[in-house]
Amino acid sequence: MSRVAAIDCGTNSIRLLIADASTDGAPGPLADVVREMRVVRLGQGVDATGELAPEALERTFAAARDYAELITVHGAGRVRFAATSATRDARNRQVFVDGIRDLLGVEPEVISGDEEAALSFAGASSVLPATGEDPILVVDLGGGSTEFVLGDSNGVIAARSVDIGCVRLTERHLRSDPPTPAQIAAAEADVDAALDLAAQTVPLERATAVVGVAGSITTITAHALGLDEYRPERIHGASLDLETIRDACTSLLEMTRDERAALPYMHPGRVDVIGAGALVWRRILDRLASVSNGRIVAAVSSEHDILDGIALSIRDAE
């Protein structure tokens, strides 16, 4: 066995996975040793200013410092750090790159949207049943961007990353508590335009099933299931009909901030942005229902995503 450490640094959160992987060439899932998530909001204000804020960098560096200690304690031999949407968009990303290198001793990779999409698909599909020749669509709904990846058991068929996410749309449009109809309409127009872009590359109509990953979608699933706390074992693999998911999304979007904060499964770092995440997921599912000729009637949630894909990429490179 080989012990690896993967770090995914997005717009809203930074996550660590330390896992054991087989070194005999056999495919399959990893064995978790440590799985952690911190909401650091690295992308705070990036959509408006084009730069990473000093306080956001400090929050992220503090989490990375803790992760470096965990990696040492648990003896992970190889580390890969991948940064996504907020860092791609920031003019001052070199400050971030230099700080992470100093803390972890590895060069952080600011990966492209296409690579982010491929890693998300690899992570999600590693723990799902083989799809054969029937394409599935993996949707990774992040803080600054959303990835659409169509693939099957042979790998990725087509992928596209677009600039819609829960942090970006909250800062851009959903400023009231709860948001106004006009704000919701403006955000939905952004999502529709992004879906049009995604559809230029990814044939959404070919999907026979859809899998949603990342914190917004898993939190929406927890809401739809009415959980008494955040339970990954209940969320992972949950298949819900589109109407149930749509109702859960609308409920979260229309709540006040205090009402969302009182939900027992709501992470404090998601309270202010989950409404936008719900709006994006609802709009995506509406589009898929429209173009699939009745094939897409449900969506599956996965707790495994780009973080697992990063760890698998370390294993596969050995």
Side-chain angles (χ1 to χ4, degrees):
M1 301 294 287
S2 173
R3 183 159 290 182
V4 301
I7 300 174
D8 164 40
C9 187
T11 300
N12 196 43
S13 64
I14 183 170
R15 299 180 300 151
L16 167 70
L17 171 60
I18 300 174
D20 289 330
S22 171
T23 56
D24 61 5
L30 303 155
D32 287 13
V33 177
V34 172
R35 191 180 285 264
E36 277 210 17
M37 187 270 288
R38 309 272 183 92
V39 173
V40 294
R41 196 64 57 82
L42 177 62
Q44 171 194 328
V46 168
D47 187 61
T49 67
E51 293 193 347
L52 300 168
E55 61 270 29
L57 284 165
E58 186 48 48
R59 291 192 298 266
T60 306
F61 291 156
R65 195 173 293 112
D66 292 342
Y67 286 176
E69 184 175 344
L70 285 169
I71 290 167
T72 299
V73 167
H74 291 282
R78 297 189 65 188
V79 181
R80 185 179 184 192
F81 187 112
T84 55
S85 177
T87 316
R88 282 197 299 267
D89 294 347
R91 288 188 297 269
N92 62 336
R93 68 182 184 183
Q94 195 60 45
V95 177
F96 169 80
V97 169
D98 293 343
I100 293 298
R101 187 195 305 113
D102 290 345
L103 289 167
L104 288 165
V106 296
E107 188 74 16
E109 301 172 48
V110 183
I111 61 174
S112 69
D114 286 345
E115 184 170 7
E116 183 177 359
L119 289 169
S120 296
F121 184 82
S125 61
S126 70
V127 292
L128 294 172
T131 60
E133 298 305 314
D134 296 327
I136 63 170
L137 180 71
V138 171
V139 179
D140 183 348
L141 200 173
S145 66
T146 295
E147 284 64 53
F148 296 84
V149 197
L150 188 73
D152 57 22
S153 57
N154 296 314
V156 174
I157 297 168
R160 185 70 180 261
S161 177
V162 293
D163 285 340
I164 52 169
C166 60
V167 174
R168 191 185 297 272
L169 289 188
T170 298
E171 292 184 349
R172 188 181 291 177
H173 296 298
L174 306 186
R175 299 190 180 96
S176 298
D177 181 26
T180 67
Q183 291 170 351
I184 291 171
E188 287 180 335
D190 279 5
V191 177
D192 289 345
L195 283 165
D196 290 342
L197 280 177
Q200 292 176 11
T201 305
V202 181
L204 301 176
E205 69 280 358
R206 288 185 56 192
T208 59
V210 58
V211 178
V213 303
S216 284
I217 290 174
T218 58
T219 301
I220 293 163
T221 303
H223 186 58
L225 293 171
L227 300 183
D228 58 354
E229 62 179 336
Y230 192 90
R231 296 180 179 271
E233 72 281 2
R234 290 282 308 279
I235 295 166
H236 182 63
S239 179
L240 299 174
D241 66 85
L242 297 188
E243 195 59 38
T244 297
I245 300 171
R246 191 177 290 115
D247 288 347
C249 289
T250 300
S251 170
L252 287 167
L253 181 58
E254 293 179 349
M255 284 181 179
T256 66
R257 192 184 194 285
D258 287 346
E259 288 170 336
R260 294 194 299 270
L263 297 172
Y265 38 78
M266 184 66 62
H267 190 287
R270 296 201 188 281
V271 170
D272 59 333
V273 296
I274 191 61
L279 180 149
V280 173
W281 191 218
R282 183 179 70 180
R283 206 67 173 174
I284 289 170
L285 294 178
D286 285 347
R287 175 69 67 95
L288 292 174
S290 173
V291 302
S292 70
N293 294 318
R295 285 194 308 274
I296 302 296
V297 297
V300 177
S301 298
S302 174
E303 286 280 343
H304 297 267
D305 52 26
I306 185 175
L307 184 62
D308 302 77
I310 296 166
L312 288 166
S313 73
I314 304 170
R315 180 200 68 182
D316 294 344
E318 290 185 342

